[in-house]
Amino acid sequence: MDRFLNGNEWQWRLARTIVQGIIGVVIANVDLIVGWCVLDPSVRALVAALVMAVLSPVMAELGERGGDLPAIPRGGE
């Protein structure tokens, strides 16, 4: 996972771009997958672009932390 998030070789950059694109398309088409609402095609393109814009910094932050996520505090701690 560390190489995927931090690798600067062309294959890791390509893999990150492909994964981000797949996630963006799946989220943009979740209305068709779930089947309970319908989005306009122009809105789908906007959703895919917004997902890509959010995923890039999230993946960069995960890469800086070495893939370690912060501990989630439990109630009473």
Side-chain angles (χ1 to χ4, degrees):
M1 183 64 110
D2 186 49
R3 266 196 270 173
F4 176 74
L5 292 172
N6 294 321
N8 203 22
E9 295 85 18
W10 69 269
Q11 64 266 25
W12 296 115
R13 292 192 318 249
L14 178 64
R16 285 192 298 267
T17 303
I18 290 171
V19 168
Q20 289 173 355
I22 290 170
I23 292 172
V25 169
V26 167
I27 290 176
N29 290 307
V30 78
D31 64 328
L32 297 176
I33 296 168
V34 175
W36 57 270
C37 68
V38 177
L39 291 176
D40 188 60
S42 61
V43 174
R44 281 197 191 115
L46 179 63
V47 169
L50 288 173
V51 168
M52 294 283 284
V54 170
L55 279 178
S56 292
V58 167
M59 289 178 76
E61 183 65 27
L62 285 175
E64 286 180 10
R65 294 178 186 240
D68 295 331
L69 295 175
I72 299 174
R74 298 181 186 175
E77 288 187 15

